[in-house]
Each structure stands twice: as structure tokens, then as C-alpha cells.
Amino acid sequence: MAELPDLIDPSRHRDLGRRGGGPWGRRAALVVLAALVGLGAANVFGQQPSDERAGAAAASLELHAPSRLRDGLLFQARFTIVARRAIAEPTLVLDGGWFDRITVNTVVPEAKSQVALDGRVGLTFDRLPGGRRLVVWISFQVNPPGAGRRDQGVELRDGEALIARIPRTVLIFP
């Protein structure tokens, strides 16, 4: 057997034995890793969008967006307004949770005006005739560290008059 280099102490550098709990420790670590991958594949940690709806006599509002997100994730929300009668000032009012540690990248179509409403944001669009639909796409990115729960409700208004509201909460994973 070859001699050990100088300054190598066999009892300290070679003869320590195995660490990490032996084969059962390695197996447990692999099971935990596989469980995390499986939970991610089952969309426990976010990104899969869901649909939520609210309706009234004047119009209906549909939201298509994920309710679970991760830090750094790019995601998109689609708001569909179907007018049953003419809406003079269709306005989407988004709760503050849409903007708290979340960056807005684009809004399509661009709102005619934007206004701050007590920690919420109102986006007003052009007149919407009865029987027509308006689809608004908003692209977002979650800014780390953004973990936690946030209210991301949305209201459809005609000017100041409330037409429909979708209450929702989003969960953001680190």
C-alpha cells in the first residue's frame, strides 16, 4: 500500500467511516426529493390556471389565472367581460394583491385610464356595447421574496356602479 502524504492523519481523514445515516439515510433523502418532484408535477406549487366567474344582469366577468404561484414566476391573467347591456365605462378594479411584490409587464388592450383606489387599481376601458365582449390580458412576474397569501379579488364596474365581483386569494410559494 502506498504511503500517505505528509500532514494526512489517517484517523481524521481516512478512517471516519460513512456519514449520512448509511443506506437508509440516502433512501430517505431520495424519497423526499421524489415527493417534492411529484408534488410539483401535480401543480401543488402553482402555475396551472383556473377559471372563476361572476355574473349579473348587466354583464358577466370571468377570470382565468393561477391561484398558486412561485417566486420569479411569469404568469398571465385573462379577464373576460361579456356585456348583456351597454356598459358606458367598463372598469376592472384589481385588489392590491395583484401588485404587492408582483410586477405588471403588459396590459392588452391598454386601458383608457388607470386610477388608484385606496390600495386598489382601476383600469377603465372604452364603452362596451350590449352583446359584445372585452378580453383583457395582463402579464405579471412574481418578485422574490414574495411568499405568502394575498387577496387578488377583481371587480367589474360601470363607472362607480358595481356590476360583479370575484373574490380570490393567491398563495405564493418561495
Side-chain angles (χ1 to χ4, degrees), residues 38-62:
L39 289 171
N43 192 40
V44 169
F45 304 120
Q47 193 170 352
Q48 183 66 32
S50 60
D51 292 323
E52 299 176 58
R53 293 175 182 81
S60 66
L61 173 63
E62 179 181 327

Side-chain angles (χ1 to χ4, degrees), residues 2-165:
E3 286 191 32
L4 293 174
D6 292 340
L7 304 175
I8 297 293
D9 178 10
S11 64
R12 181 170 178 219
H13 297 103
R14 182 186 67 190
D15 301 333
L16 291 177
R18 293 187 178 228
R19 292 185 182 180
W24 288 108
R26 289 189 302 276
R27 289 178 186 140
L30 284 174
V31 166
V32 168
L33 181 61
L36 287 172
V37 169
L39 289 171
N43 192 40
V44 169
F45 304 120
Q47 193 170 352
Q48 183 66 32
S50 60
D51 292 323
E52 299 176 58
R53 293 175 182 81
S60 66
L61 173 63
E62 179 181 327
L63 169 61
H64 182 76
S67 60
R68 289 183 296 245
L69 303 166
R70 295 182 304 276
D71 280 349
L73 184 70
L74 294 165
F75 72 99
Q76 188 175 63
R78 182 183 70 219
F79 303 86
T80 304
I81 302 166
V82 178
R84 295 189 178 101
R85 64 159 174 80
I87 302 174
E89 274 188 23
T91 304
L92 288 174
V93 179
L94 306 175
D95 286 351
W98 287 101
F99 307 98
D100 183 18
R101 295 189 184 141
I102 296 177
T103 300
V104 176
N105 292 327
T106 59
V107 178
V108 177
E110 188 173 327
K112 180 172 73 172
S113 68
Q114 298 179 24
V115 63
L117 303 167
D118 263 347
R120 297 162 67 194
V121 174
L123 304 172
T124 302
F125 298 91
D126 290 329
R127 183 177 192 281
L128 187 61
R132 300 288 307 267
R133 91 179 355 190
L134 170 66
V135 179
V136 179
W137 299 86
I138 304 179
S139 297
F140 298 93
Q141 181 173 5
V142 181
N143 300 321
R149 289 191 181 275
R150 292 185 185 58
D151 289 330
Q152 279 193 342
V154 60
E155 292 178 354
L156 171 61
R157 295 184 181 184
D158 186 356
E160 295 292 320
L162 177 65
I163 297 174
R165 174 164 175 74

